């Protein structure tokens, strides 16, 4: 599903070029559950942004389901993010001024789903993550774990094949974090491809495979037998 | 996403920041409200002035006066001050003239029983009520037969009738003018919008010109009322008669067409009001421009504040076009609502002025519609730069923005 070959990413900070990824080769199969670990600043988020089509490699190629992403137009990338990819962030990234259900509706809105169907599907998704009774709450009225559940419901809105989670438990206590991981594992069992960035070894251990990144390079891989 | 969903989204976002949205709207609202109010007042003022002038002259009637009466000043030696029989005959000789009448003005003591009042006397033909815009409220106007027969009849203005007869019915009663009893055949009110009623007191007595000449033989005829035949070119007829009269008097400026004068004064006044409306309108337009700059400023602040929101929306699959439209629709919605409120408030100001001053202030609907569309357009124009800025944000940097 995901193929990276010799991917470099260089940012420009002022006049200084800053190379964050140093030749990453990575293959993730359809239906895999992969975790990514590594020290802070090692380029994990950058890698995830490239995988999620929010950013493009400076050098190297990235294929998503065989399509060379650098050949796609801005509009095609937007459609890809909307239909095929669901993001989950450490800081939840819910829009603060609209209710939980309206947050979940957003990807459906951009997909052109009509008003009534949008609402019905959003409520259904909230029910699936156990948040049916909080649909009309503003994010500020929700706990961290609840916000992350809403964010996961939103990531699932257009039934994407790929879920990308950047430290989804980083802002949660251990028990709530574990609940979120169970949720992700359920999604994996339902056939989705899942990539999780984490600092927590127990979270990483939930995945089939763990990739270790240091200084923008993949140093080590660990495959678990189940 | 259809247009309605765009507007709905904009409304939601505006509602979450009510005070700011309202303050942003205020600039546009004040600009539009003042434009609407100015147009309403200008229109009303023009209508009032033109109405007053039009009401001063009856249709198809040429009112000719000695020049001294139109342009007050010291008469030159030998200047014509009154109209005589030969002048009337000259006017009557023109083809296209149906009838030539004349009017006399003066003041006299009018009494009934032990009550008396100093009133202005207006004497003329049977259509005097049209010439001076009277509305008969009871009885009737004196007739042509009364004029021809030198009959002792009169019509009183309502205020004079009240002074002499109190609440009693004056019709059929008698009043004394210069020792002659006149029978009252009607009571009239002068139409409020008449310019002439502003200059004349409202206590007035109207009688046949012939009767007046019998009572006051030394009063001079001060106005000639030439009734043009239906279909005649009134303007050219007036010009030809005035020229003929001037030749007869041996003075190129002896007579003037006072109805023509009234209409040229009207044209001037209407020009002045138009210029004033334009000038004040331009000032209001500047206010609107300043309001537009305010909208742009707030939209720029809003884009900066919502950088992370934009990043999130892009990560969820919003295209640049959708982001651009979102901010454009938001700023257009602000200014359209501001414009709509401005139109409504401007109309209310016009209504208030109509009620308090009696000026027939009115807002033509195209002006209201254009003001509204214009304010929506300001929103689009002033929102363009901030919206474009939002649409061009790098999603990664927007997501990382705190
Ligand atoms: N848009 C950017 N512009 C400049 N530098 C960036 C940008 N994004 C990330 N970086 C830098 O790249 C390095 C790696 O960042 P990141 O991928 O977020 O690391 P991680 O997620 O592993 O902590 C950091 O030093 C960070 O400051
Ligand atoms: Mg990171």
């Amino acid at each position: 599903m995901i193929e990276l070959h010799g991917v470099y990413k260089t940012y420009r900070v002022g006049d200084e070029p800053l190379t964050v990824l140093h030749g990453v080769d990575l293959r993730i199969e359809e239906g895999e559950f992969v975790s990514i670990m590594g020290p802070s600043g090692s380029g994990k988020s950058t890698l995830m942004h490239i995988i999620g089509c929010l950013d493009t490699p400076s050098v190297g190629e990235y294929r998503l389901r065989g399509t060379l992403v650098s050949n796609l137009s801005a509009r095609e990338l937007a459609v890809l993010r909307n239909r095929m990819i669901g993001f989950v962030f450490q800081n939840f990234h819910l829009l603060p001024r609209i209710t939980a259900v309206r947050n979940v509706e957003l990807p459906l809105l951009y997909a052109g789903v009509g008003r009534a169907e949008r609402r019905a599907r959003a409520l259904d998704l909230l029910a699936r993550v156990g948040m049916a009774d909080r649909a009309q709450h503003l994010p500020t009225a929700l706990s961290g774990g609840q916000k992350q559940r809403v964010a996961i419901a939103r990531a699932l809105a257009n039934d994407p094949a790929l879920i990308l989670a950047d430290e989804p438990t980083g802002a949660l206590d251990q028990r709530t974090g574990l609940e979120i991981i169970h949720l992700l594992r359920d999604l994996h069992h339902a056939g989705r491809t899942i990539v999780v960035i984490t600092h927590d070894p127990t979270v990483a251990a939930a995945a089939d495979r763990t990739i270790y990144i240091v200084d923008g390079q993949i140093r080590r891989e660990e495959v678990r037998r189940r | 996403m259809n247009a309605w969903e765009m507007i709905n989204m904009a409304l939601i976002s505006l509602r979450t920041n009510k005070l700011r949205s309202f303050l942003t709207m205020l600039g546009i609202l004040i600009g539009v409200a003042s434009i609407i109010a100015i147009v309403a007042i200008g229109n009303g003022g023009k209508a009032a002035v033109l109405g007053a002038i039009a009401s001063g002259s009856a249709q198809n009637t040429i009112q000719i006066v000695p020049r001294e009466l139109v342009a007050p000043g010291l008469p030159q030696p030998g200047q014509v001050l009154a109209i005589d029989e030969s002048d009337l005959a000259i006017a009557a000789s023109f083809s296209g003239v149906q009838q030539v009448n004349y009017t006399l003005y003066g003041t006299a003591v009018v009494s009934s029983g032990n009550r008396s009042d100093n009133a202005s006397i207006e004497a003329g033909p049977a259509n005097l009520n049209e010439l001076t815009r009277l509305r008969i409220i009871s009885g009737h106007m004196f007739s042509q037969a009364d004029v021809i027969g030198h009959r002792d009849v009169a019509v009183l203005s309502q205020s004079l009738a009240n002074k002499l007869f109190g609440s009693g019915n004056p019709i059929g009663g008698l009043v004394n003018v210069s020792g002659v009893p006149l029978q009252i055949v009607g009571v009239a009110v002068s139409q409020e919008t008449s310019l002439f009623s502003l200059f004349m007191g409202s206590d007035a007595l109207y009688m046949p010109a012939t009767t007046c000449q019998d009572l006051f033989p030394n009063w001079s005829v001060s106005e000639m009322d030439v009734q043009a035949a239906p279909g005649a070119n009134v303007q050219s007829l007036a010009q030809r008669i005035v020229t003929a009269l001037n030749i007869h008097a041996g003075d190129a400026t002896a007579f003037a067409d006072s109805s023509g004068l009234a209409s040229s004064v009207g044209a001037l006044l209407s020009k002045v009001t138009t210029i004033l409306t334009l000038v004040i309108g331009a000032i209001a337009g500047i206010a609107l421009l300043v309001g537009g700059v305010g909208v742009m400023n707030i939209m720029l602040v809003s884009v900066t504040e919502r950088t992370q929101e934009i990043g999130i929306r892009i990560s969820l699959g919003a295209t640049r076009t959708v982001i651009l439209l979102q901010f454009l629709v938001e700023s257009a919605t602000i200014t359209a609502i501001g414009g709509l409120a401005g139109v409504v408030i401007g109309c209310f100001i016009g209504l208030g002025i109509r009620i308090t001053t009696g000026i027939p202030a009115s807002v033509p609907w195209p002006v209201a519609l254009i003001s509204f569309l214009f304010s929506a357009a300001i929103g689009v124009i002033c929102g363009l730069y901030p919206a474009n800025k939002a649409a061009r944000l790098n999603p990664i940097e927007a997501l990382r923005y705190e």
Side-chain angles (χ1 to χ4, degrees):
Chain A
M1 169 150 210
I2 293 168
E3 276 178 90
L4 288 93
H5 290 293
V7 167
Y8 286 78
K9 182 69 195 180
T10 304
Y11 289 116
R12 214 156 251 296
V13 183
D15 285 341
E16 301 280 305
L18 172 70
T19 302
V20 178
L21 296 179
H22 294 268
V24 172
D25 295 303
L26 178 64
R27 218 185 134 85
I28 296 173
E29 301 302 328
E30 198 92 39
E32 252 196 300
F33 184 174
V34 175
S35 59
I36 299 176
M37 292 191 82
S40 243
S42 56
K44 306 183 295 294
S45 295
T46 304
L47 178 62
M48 200 193 86
H49 291 149
I50 289 175
I51 294 174
C53 302
L54 283 169
D55 211 345
T56 47
S58 307
V59 180
E61 48 176 52
Y62 168 38
R63 285 176 195 277
L64 181 61
R65 279 195 167 157
T67 313
L68 198 59
V69 169
S70 51
N71 283 351
L72 298 178
S73 68
R75 176 171 292 276
E76 287 167 326
L77 288 175
V79 172
L80 214 60
R81 286 194 293 268
N82 184 240
R83 309 293 166 88
M84 204 146 106
I85 301 163
F87 289 97
V88 179
F89 299 97
Q90 177 176 3
N91 297 323
F92 323 118
H93 281 351
L94 297 177
L95 298 195
R97 297 180 195 279
I98 58 175
T99 57
V101 67
R102 277 196 191 275
N103 262 287
V104 178
E105 278 182 41
L106 282 173
L108 298 166
L109 183 73
Y110 294 134
V113 177
R115 201 183 166 81
E117 193 193 340
R118 211 160 64 209
R119 182 51 59 102
R121 271 166 69 177
L123 288 172
D124 184 49
L125 286 160
L126 282 172
R128 268 161 62 189
V129 296
M131 292 293 293
D133 53 342
R134 298 286 198 282
Q136 298 302 335
H137 285 49
L138 286 176
T140 43
L142 300 175
S143 71
Q146 290 172 330
K147 282 186 212 171
Q148 201 59 298
R149 285 169 183 273
V150 174
I152 289 173
R154 186 178 67 182
L156 292 174
N158 283 318
D159 199 14
L162 177 62
I163 300 283
L164 300 175
D166 192 348
E167 302 191 34
T169 63
L172 305 175
D173 62 62
Q174 195 156 23
R175 221 195 85 216
T176 333
L178 220 58
E179 285 171 16
I180 296 300
I181 291 309
H182 285 316
L183 210 54
L184 289 178
R185 208 161 50 192
D186 290 346
L187 296 175
H188 166 56
H189 289 318
R192 286 189 181 77
T193 310
I194 311 234
V195 179
V196 182
I197 293 173
T198 185
H199 283 299
D200 185 341
T202 52
V203 173
D208 304 337
R209 179 155 69 112
T210 302
I211 290 162
Y212 293 89
I213 293 191
V214 180
D215 290 339
Q217 284 179 317
I218 296 178
R219 286 290 163 83
R220 189 159 71 81
E221 266 195 43
E222 186 180 331
V223 181
R224 292 178 193 80
R225 295 221 158 227
R226 301 224 177 252
Chain B
M1 275 177 89
N2 59 33
W4 171 241
E5 287 190 319
M6 281 282 181
I7 292 171
N8 196 35
M9 197 160 85
L11 286 176
I12 289 170
S13 140
L14 295 180
R15 229 181 294 151
T16 59
N17 219 329
K18 288 193 193 74
L19 182 63
R20 178 195 285 184
S21 305
F22 171 71
L23 291 176
T24 312
M25 239 169 242
L26 210 54
I28 300 294
L29 188 154
I30 291 170
V32 170
S34 34
I35 284 178
I36 295 288
I38 288 159
V39 169
I41 296 165
N43 254 5
K46 215 185 310 189
V49 169
L50 294 180
I53 287 161
S55 67
S57 52
Q59 272 195 331
N60 267 6
T61 301
I62 304 159
Q63 292 170 299
I64 295 171
V65 293
R67 191 192 56 168
E68 196 263 343
L69 289 176
V70 230
L74 287 175
Q76 302 294 314
Q79 183 176 339
V80 176
L81 290 174
I83 292 164
D84 63 25
E85 292 291 331
S86 59
D87 296 322
L88 296 175
I90 288 169
S93 70
F94 276 84
S95 72
V97 170
Q98 206 166 49
Q99 205 180 11
V100 178
N101 298 304
Y102 54 92
T103 45
L104 303 90
Y105 299 101
T107 57
V109 174
V110 180
S111 62
S112 164
N114 55 358
R115 298 190 210 192
S116 70
D117 186 34
N118 203 11
S120 65
I121 309 289
E122 298 182 27
N127 68 341
L128 184 68
N129 57 330
E130 284 171 31
L131 296 174
T132 59
R133 239 170 100 81
L134 297 174
R135 190 158 56 84
I136 305 292
I137 54 169
S138 68
H140 55 83
M141 192 60 196
F142 53 79
S143 65
Q144 191 58 25
D146 293 331
V147 178
I148 293 166
H150 296 239
R151 289 185 189 146
D152 296 335
V153 291
V155 170
L156 301 187
S157 77
Q158 191 179 27
S159 64
L160 183 60
N162 285 346
K163 278 192 184 141
L164 298 180
F165 293 92
S167 54
N169 180 16
I171 307 288
L174 293 175
V175 288
N176 246 300
V177 178
S178 187
V180 175
L182 302 177
Q183 190 178 28
I184 299 160
V185 295
V187 176
V189 285
S190 180
Q191 306 292 78
E192 275 179 347
T193 47
S194 165
L195 276 185
F196 300 101
S197 68
L198 295 175
F199 304 130
M200 307 285 183
S202 53
D203 293 349
L205 181 146
Y206 312 94
M207 66 168 100
T210 49
T211 314
C212 184
Q213 282 176 311
D214 294 344
L215 291 179
F216 304 102
N218 57 338
W219 282 15
S220 52
V221 173
S222 47
E223 181 179 310
M224 186 194 299
D225 304 308
V226 180
Q227 188 78 44
N233 183 341
V234 178
Q235 250 175 331
S236 94
L237 188 60
Q239 225 160 38
R240 283 183 287 132
I241 295 174
V242 168
T243 310
L245 289 174
N246 286 340
I247 289 168
H248 174 67
D251 173 358
T253 57
F255 292 93
D257 172 8
S258 81
S259 42
L261 178 93
S263 66
S264 69
V265 167
L268 186 69
L269 280 175
S270 134
K271 216 184 230 167
V272 169
T273 4
T274 306
I275 290 169
L276 275 180
T277 307
L278 283 178
V279 168
I280 304 174
I283 294 169
I286 291 169
L288 210 53
L289 200 70
V290 173
V293 172
V295 171
M296 187 188 294
N297 185 28
I298 291 295
M299 289 310 292
L300 280 173
V301 171
S302 169
V303 168
T304 307
E305 268 184 3
R306 289 155 69 186
T307 298
Q308 202 178 48
E309 172 188 327
I310 296 163
I312 295 169
R313 287 181 185 273
I314 293 174
S315 80
L316 296 177
T319 58
R320 294 201 185 283
T321 316
V322 165
I323 300 286
L324 183 91
L325 282 177
Q326 179 190 340
F327 282 89
L328 272 190
V329 169
E330 244 175 67
S331 82
T333 306
I334 288 185
T335 59
I337 294 174
L340 199 66
V343 168
V344 171
I345 290 171
C347 287
F348 271 110
I349 293 173
L351 194 68
I353 283 164
R354 181 190 273 253
I355 291 167
T356 51
T357 67
I359 291 174
S362 67
V363 182
W365 69 262
V367 171
L369 185 70
I370 287 169
S371 303
F372 171 71
L373 293 179
F374 185 64
S375 31
I378 285 180
V380 172
I381 291 164
C382 294
L384 216 50
Y385 176 66
N388 191 48
K389 207 177 147 183
R392 289 189 178 285
L393 281 177
N394 177 330
I396 306 299
E397 279 165 25
L399 276 174
R400 283 161 59 100
Y401 188 90
E402 289 301 328

